[in-house]
Amino acid sequence: MASPFETMAFPTLRTPSGDIPADAPGWNPQRPSAMPHHRYRPADARVALPLTDRTWPARRLQQAPLWVPVDLRDGNQALAEPMDTERKRRMFDLLVTMGFKEIEVGYPSASQTDFDFVRHLARSGAVPDDVTISVFTAARPDLIDRTVASVEGLPRTVVHLYTATAPTWRDVVLGRSRTEVHALIRDAATHLMRRAEEQPGADIRFEFSPEVFNLTEPDFVLEVCNGLTALWEASPDRPVIHNLPATVEIATPNVYADQIEYMDRHLAHRGSVILSVHPHNDRGTGVACAELAVLAGAQRVEGCLFGNGERTGNVDLVTLALNLYAQGVNPMIDFSDIDAVREVVEHCNRLPVHPRHPYGGDLVHTAFSGTHQDAIAKGLAQHAKQAAETGLSVEQAPWAVPYLPIDPGDIGRTYEEVIRINSQSGKGGVAHLLHTHHGLDLPQAMRPDVSRTVQQVTDATGRELSSKDLWELFRTTYIVPAQDGDVTLVAWNTAETAPGEHRFSCTLRTDGQERSCRGTGNGPLSALTDALRTAGITVDILGYTEHATASGPGSPAVAYAECRVDGVTRWGAGWDTSVLTSSVHAVMAAVNRAQEARS
């Protein structure tokens, strides 16, 4: 019978079949694809990259930049269903609660909804005294007028002026020369400054973005930005913001960092300029671009929570901030309830956050792999031990747990979802969940047996097992056979007849028949095995442990017994408030499991 994979068709794919490159090592047999890669040019063929003596690689990230969320403007523009006022307000309130101090709230000249929301903020008193509102506008007088009108009554605002400056955009979109684009920007910036001066008592600062900075000639960016710094009369106490966006990613992140360091060194009146970046994620490296840009001199980062934005999105502020946190740097933003943040973002954007999204996804702290689970379980146990030894709470003790870069508890996650069980899971994960949720501390020697039992079920069903499922499987496999097998104790008692000598008396039911048995030994369990021997059942106890499952006099005890029964070895467990009863049941469970295996 043919495999189903033999009938699968891939009609649009062409297996690479060109000659192996002459300089390829023998261990690399890859062949050239027929895809037309010659249509595209590398970054250094598209824009000058003048920096050669870079210093940013030797620097370290030691403090958070000013984070500026643009979810309500750039992120909103990328939504199939842009936010209404109710969703915008919910997102705004979340951003304020998290601790953001400058928030871009809209493009008020682009839609009535955005204009109305800015007016809502101005009239509602929703803006705290230490929060600055940013609004976005293209470099056109009529749009600037509309934008300035929208912010009337707001105590502190940044008006963010932008124009595309890259050659392709100048030629294709604007149809203007470099000189003409510079004149357009200067005229718009002058108009903006005059309109701001007409607002009595208003605190309006200015930001400029040379859109597609990363594809614009560096000397042109400097010419434009330095001219605006002078025009807007920037000073250290009223700095201008020059925002240098990687509007469309075109190179590796180190190239963007070189571009930012070049600007950091050459911008005029540097102490009167806030150097800002706004990376997008077209190459999937937006986070790296932002991190390297900060190393290179950026002081401010614009992005969105969970990376929403046009195409592949804006840079993700959640990942950026928590990456710093994982390095011991205060992120200056509160992510202590990451699920609440995600819930608001998903509601407002009407887009799901991927379950594998860094830090915030449902599965990012979850291990299914057996080796990962074992390492995490050992790490959590060691963390608790070291915390106790140093007198610190587990929430305050230094964190060093394998596979978990931060403590899930720090961002509001519980440990319940850290280890989950499916067919890929191992003995460490199973043991961890049984211990965490049900108080079982499985003996090391028993763990492989329990793991095999679990894997048989997960392989057969293809599904994940919850902690409740695990307990039920453990109970029915290892505990229930004591009272539901072919060999059961109808009644029993034990007594110490002399120092070091015990008697075990019982009524034993085997094959539906009851008989009285008695045995002696140096302990209750050895006396039990002697009683079973009189019924023709040879039992050797190879291993035995017991423990309480909780503190307090009424807490259940659990016992584990590994027994060889007429040549067949099996584990059993017992569960009872009496340690003696649980130990007897553990032996009987092992006996019945062995009897079942023989039959």
Side-chain angles (χ1 to χ4, degrees):
M1 181 177 178
S3 164
F5 296 105
E6 295 177 12
T7 63
M8 295 177 67
F10 303 97
T12 63
L13 298 180
R14 292 170 291 176
T15 301
S17 58
D19 294 334
I20 297 174
D23 59 350
W27 47 262
N28 185 354
Q30 291 181 146
R31 297 175 182 272
S33 164
M35 296 176 66
H37 64 282
H38 61 275
R39 300 177 61 205
Y40 307 100
R41 293 184 295 158
D44 58 359
R46 303 175 69 185
V47 63
L49 303 174
L51 188 68
T52 58
D53 57 340
R54 61 194 56 81
T55 63
W56 61 262
R59 302 175 189 168
R60 293 177 54 227
L61 294 173
Q62 295 180 299
Q63 65 181 32
L66 176 65
W67 307 115
V68 181
V70 296
D71 301 76
L72 292 165
R73 194 276 300 173
D74 203 348
N76 188 53
Q77 288 176 214
L79 300 177
E81 299 178 40
M83 297 181 220
D84 55 20
T85 297
E86 181 274 327
R87 286 155 64 202
K88 274 180 166 278
R89 177 60 189 270
R90 187 173 180 189
M91 177 73 81
F92 178 80
D93 289 344
L94 170 70
L95 297 171
V96 169
T97 299
M98 294 175 70
F100 291 104
K101 299 304 179 185
E102 186 175 325
I103 302 170
E104 191 172 79
V105 299
Y107 194 161
S109 64
S111 74
Q112 188 65 42
T113 301
D114 272 24
F115 184 91
D116 290 345
F117 181 67
V118 179
R119 298 307 305 142
H120 163 76
L121 293 178
R123 294 167 178 151
S124 65
V127 183
D129 291 341
D130 60 349
V131 172
T132 298
I133 295 301
S134 175
V135 287
F136 192 72
T137 181
R140 274 177 38 190
D142 58 326
L143 303 183
I144 291 170
D145 290 345
R146 179 77 165 162
T147 302
V148 172
S150 74
V151 301
E152 183 180 350
L154 283 169
R156 286 156 313 285
T157 56
V158 167
V159 177
H160 183 174
L161 186 72
Y162 84 96
T163 297
T165 55
T168 300
W169 276 254
R170 294 197 307 256
D171 297 340
V172 176
V173 180
L174 300 177
R176 300 189 185 214
S177 68
R178 176 166 154 163
T179 300
E180 289 170 331
V181 169
H182 192 176
L184 179 154
I185 293 169
R186 187 172 184 85
D187 289 346
T190 301
H191 184 76
L192 171 59
M193 182 174 65
R194 298 290 176 255
R195 288 305 318 277
E197 289 172 347
E198 295 169 2
Q199 309 303 310
D203 182 2
I204 300 177
R205 291 169 43 228
F206 307 123
E207 174 179 356
F208 174 67
S209 285
E211 192 182 6
V212 207
F213 153 78
N214 54 329
L215 272 173
T216 303
E217 306 94 327
D219 67 308
F220 185 44
V221 177
L222 282 172
E223 179 185 325
V224 171
C225 289
N226 287 341
L228 294 183
T229 300
L231 174 68
W232 284 336
E233 302 175 346
S235 63
D237 59 338
R238 286 190 62 80
V240 300
I241 302 164
H242 288 314
N243 185 57
L244 308 178
T247 310
V248 180
E249 278 196 303
I250 53 99
T252 50
N254 60 294
V255 172
Y256 187 53
D258 283 352
Q259 292 174 313
I260 297 303
E261 183 170 344
Y262 181 83
M263 297 299 295
D264 179 46
R265 292 189 196 179
H266 293 90
L267 280 168
H269 307 289
R270 185 65 183 86
S272 300
V273 172
I274 298 171
L275 180 53
S276 176
V277 292
H278 182 116
H280 279 252
N281 198 44
D282 300 88
R283 302 178 77 252
T285 57
V287 166
C289 278
E291 291 181 328
L292 298 192
V294 172
L295 288 176
Q299 302 154 290
R300 179 182 183 271
V301 176
E302 296 183 354
C304 290
L305 297 180
F306 300 109
N308 177 47
E310 296 281 11
R311 305 178 308 281
T312 57
N314 292 286
V315 71
D316 174 16
L317 297 185
V318 174
T319 300
L320 281 172
L322 288 175
N323 280 354
L324 283 180
Y325 182 73
Q327 296 294 310
V329 177
N330 193 313
M332 311 301 285
I333 301 295
D334 184 14
F335 292 98
S336 59
D337 191 348
I338 194 73
D339 289 335
V341 173
R342 189 185 67 189
E343 188 276 327
V344 173
V345 171
E346 289 181 326
H347 169 80
C348 293
N349 289 343
R350 294 181 177 169
L351 292 172
V353 172
H354 194 282
R356 296 292 182 189
H357 194 101
Y359 301 107
D362 272 337
L363 297 178
V364 296
H365 298 111
T366 299
F368 291 104
S369 162
T371 54
H372 289 206
Q373 291 175 343
D374 183 61
I376 290 171
K378 290 176 179 176
L380 291 172
Q382 179 71 6
H383 176 71
K385 178 183 176 184
Q386 290 181 338
E389 289 173 350
T390 57
L392 295 171
S393 68
V394 292
E395 295 82 9
Q396 294 298 320
W399 182 257
V401 174
Y403 297 112
L404 296 177
I406 66 171
D407 183 348
D410 287 353
I411 55 175
R413 292 286 180 83
T414 69
Y415 294 118
E416 293 183 11
E417 297 300 310
V418 168
I419 292 177
R420 290 165 59 176
I421 303 301
N422 64 15
S423 61
Q424 304 299 307
S425 304
K427 60 184 183 295
V430 172
H432 174 80
L433 286 187
L434 287 172
H435 181 262
T436 300
H437 296 281
H438 305 290
L440 302 182
D441 189 5
L442 299 183
Q444 289 291 336
M446 187 182 185
R447 294 183 182 192
D449 190 81
V450 177
S451 179
R452 284 190 294 271
T453 299
V454 171
Q455 193 160 34
Q456 287 171 0
V457 173
T458 54
D459 277 338
T461 63
R463 68 181 183 89
E464 179 185 349
L465 299 187
S466 67
S467 63
K468 182 179 178 181
D469 295 331
L470 278 181
W471 164 247
E472 186 59 23
L473 179 60
F474 182 86
R475 188 186 70 83
T476 56
T477 303
Y478 295 97
I479 297 176
V480 168
Q483 298 170 300
D484 191 29
D486 293 336
V487 183
T488 56
L489 296 172
V490 177
W492 62 273
N493 64 77
T494 184
E496 186 174 13
T497 56
E501 183 176 306
H502 292 256
R503 182 188 71 244
F504 193 96
S505 302
C506 64
T507 300
L508 193 68
R509 179 184 291 123
T510 60
D511 299 325
Q513 303 294 319
E514 293 185 4
R515 57 181 295 178
S516 295
C517 299
R518 178 177 294 185
T520 59
N522 59 6
L525 297 186
S526 63
L528 167 60
T529 61
D530 188 50
L532 292 172
R533 181 185 54 78
T534 66
I537 303 171
T538 302
V539 180
D540 294 316
I541 299 177
L542 306 178
Y544 172 81
T545 59
E546 64 187 40
H547 64 82
T549 58
S551 60
S555 63
V558 63
Y560 315 93
E562 183 184 23
C563 300
R564 184 169 55 237
V565 183
D566 296 326
V568 177
T569 301
R570 288 292 184 273
W571 280 92
W575 177 282
D576 197 90
T577 53
S578 163
V579 174
L580 176 60
T581 299
S582 66
S583 64
V584 169
H585 286 175
V587 171
M588 294 305 298
V591 167
N592 278 299
R593 294 189 70 231
Q595 295 280 64
E596 182 180 3
R598 290 184 65 198
S599 62

